[in-house]
mmCIF file of all heavy atoms in Angstrom:
data_model
loop_
_atom_site.group_PDB
_atom_site.id
_atom_site.type_symbol
_atom_site.label_atom_id
_atom_site.label_comp_id
_atom_site.label_asym_id
_atom_site.label_seq_id
_atom_site.Cartn_x
_atom_site.Cartn_y
_atom_site.Cartn_z
ATOM 1 N N ILE A 69 10.271 13.937 -11.407
ATOM 2 C CA ILE A 69 10.485 13.689 -12.839
ATOM 3 C C ILE A 69 11.644 14.535 -13.355
ATOM 4 O O ILE A 69 12.515 14.041 -14.085
ATOM 5 C CB ILE A 69 9.199 13.964 -13.641
ATOM 6 C CG1 ILE A 69 8.077 13.012 -13.225
ATOM 7 C CG2 ILE A 69 9.456 13.868 -15.142
ATOM 8 C CD1 ILE A 69 8.379 11.543 -13.431
ATOM 9 N N LYS A 70 11.674 15.800 -12.967
ATOM 10 C CA LYS A 70 12.775 16.670 -13.407
ATOM 11 C C LYS A 70 14.108 16.144 -12.881
ATOM 12 O O LYS A 70 15.120 16.142 -13.589
ATOM 13 C CB LYS A 70 12.547 18.109 -12.934
ATOM 14 C CG LYS A 70 11.460 18.820 -13.713
ATOM 15 C CD LYS A 70 11.263 20.238 -13.220
ATOM 16 C CE LYS A 70 10.187 20.955 -14.005
ATOM 17 N NZ LYS A 70 9.948 22.316 -13.518
ATOM 18 N N GLY A 71 14.118 15.706 -11.631
ATOM 19 C CA GLY A 71 15.341 15.158 -11.044
ATOM 20 C C GLY A 71 15.818 13.917 -11.780
ATOM 21 O O GLY A 71 17.021 13.745 -12.014
ATOM 22 N N MET A 72 14.875 13.065 -12.163
ATOM 23 C CA MET A 72 15.230 11.862 -12.914
ATOM 24 C C MET A 72 15.830 12.224 -14.265
ATOM 25 O O MET A 72 16.776 11.576 -14.728
ATOM 26 C CB MET A 72 14.006 10.960 -13.084
ATOM 27 C CG MET A 72 13.547 10.316 -11.785
ATOM 28 S SD MET A 72 12.015 9.373 -11.964
ATOM 29 C CE MET A 72 12.617 7.979 -12.905
ATOM 30 N N ALA A 73 15.294 13.263 -14.889
ATOM 31 C CA ALA A 73 15.835 13.697 -16.184
ATOM 32 C C ALA A 73 17.245 14.262 -16.019
ATOM 33 O O ALA A 73 18.140 13.968 -16.811
ATOM 34 C CB ALA A 73 14.904 14.730 -16.815
ATOM 35 N N ILE A 74 17.447 15.041 -14.976
ATOM 36 C CA ILE A 74 18.766 15.632 -14.734
ATOM 37 C C ILE A 74 19.795 14.544 -14.440
ATOM 38 O O ILE A 74 20.933 14.598 -14.914
ATOM 39 C CB ILE A 74 18.692 16.664 -13.588
ATOM 40 C CG1 ILE A 74 17.911 17.889 -14.057
ATOM 41 C CG2 ILE A 74 20.076 17.047 -13.087
ATOM 42 C CD1 ILE A 74 17.519 18.847 -12.947
ATOM 43 N N GLU A 75 19.375 13.521 -13.673
ATOM 44 C CA GLU A 75 20.282 12.417 -13.335
ATOM 45 C C GLU A 75 20.526 11.478 -14.514
ATOM 46 O O GLU A 75 21.423 10.646 -14.471
ATOM 47 C CB GLU A 75 19.699 11.601 -12.175
ATOM 48 C CG GLU A 75 19.639 12.350 -10.876
ATOM 49 C CD GLU A 75 18.813 11.613 -9.824
ATOM 50 O OE1 GLU A 75 18.270 10.520 -10.108
ATOM 51 O OE2 GLU A 75 18.702 12.145 -8.707
ATOM 52 N N GLY A 76 19.718 11.604 -15.543
ATOM 53 C CA GLY A 76 19.858 10.731 -16.708
ATOM 54 C C GLY A 76 19.077 9.433 -16.604
ATOM 55 O O GLY A 76 19.244 8.542 -17.439
ATOM 56 N N SER A 77 18.227 9.317 -15.581
ATOM 57 C CA SER A 77 17.405 8.112 -15.438
ATOM 58 C C SER A 77 16.369 8.003 -16.548
ATOM 59 O O SER A 77 15.992 6.900 -16.941
ATOM 60 C CB SER A 77 16.691 8.096 -14.086
ATOM 61 O OG SER A 77 17.617 8.140 -13.037
ATOM 62 N N ILE A 78 15.884 9.145 -17.004
ATOM 63 C CA ILE A 78 14.958 9.192 -18.136
ATOM 64 C C ILE A 78 15.377 10.334 -19.057
ATOM 65 O O ILE A 78 16.061 11.271 -18.634
ATOM 66 C CB ILE A 78 13.484 9.377 -17.704
ATOM 67 C CG1 ILE A 78 13.277 10.683 -16.926
ATOM 68 C CG2 ILE A 78 12.982 8.195 -16.891
ATOM 69 C CD1 ILE A 78 11.824 10.992 -16.619
ATOM 70 N N GLU A 79 14.948 10.242 -20.306
ATOM 71 C CA GLU A 79 15.264 11.285 -21.292
ATOM 72 C C GLU A 79 14.476 12.556 -20.976
ATOM 73 O O GLU A 79 13.371 12.501 -20.437
ATOM 74 C CB GLU A 79 14.902 10.796 -22.697
ATOM 75 C CG GLU A 79 15.671 9.580 -23.151
ATOM 76 C CD GLU A 79 17.132 9.897 -23.415
ATOM 77 O OE1 GLU A 79 17.417 11.018 -23.880
ATOM 78 O OE2 GLU A 79 17.969 9.023 -23.138
ATOM 79 N N PHE A 80 15.046 13.699 -21.345
ATOM 80 C CA PHE A 80 14.368 14.978 -21.120
ATOM 81 C C PHE A 80 13.023 15.028 -21.850
ATOM 82 O O PHE A 80 12.048 15.538 -21.319
ATOM 83 C CB PHE A 80 15.257 16.152 -21.561
ATOM 84 C CG PHE A 80 16.305 16.510 -20.553
ATOM 85 C CD1 PHE A 80 17.614 16.084 -20.709
ATOM 86 C CD2 PHE A 80 15.993 17.271 -19.441
ATOM 87 C CE1 PHE A 80 18.587 16.404 -19.776
ATOM 88 C CE2 PHE A 80 16.945 17.597 -18.489
ATOM 89 C CZ PHE A 80 18.253 17.162 -18.666
#
Side-chain angles (χ1 to χ4, degrees):
I69 297 300
K70 286 180 179 178
M72 290 175 71
I74 290 168
E75 293 169 359
S77 301
I78 60 173
E79 298 290 325
F80 280 100

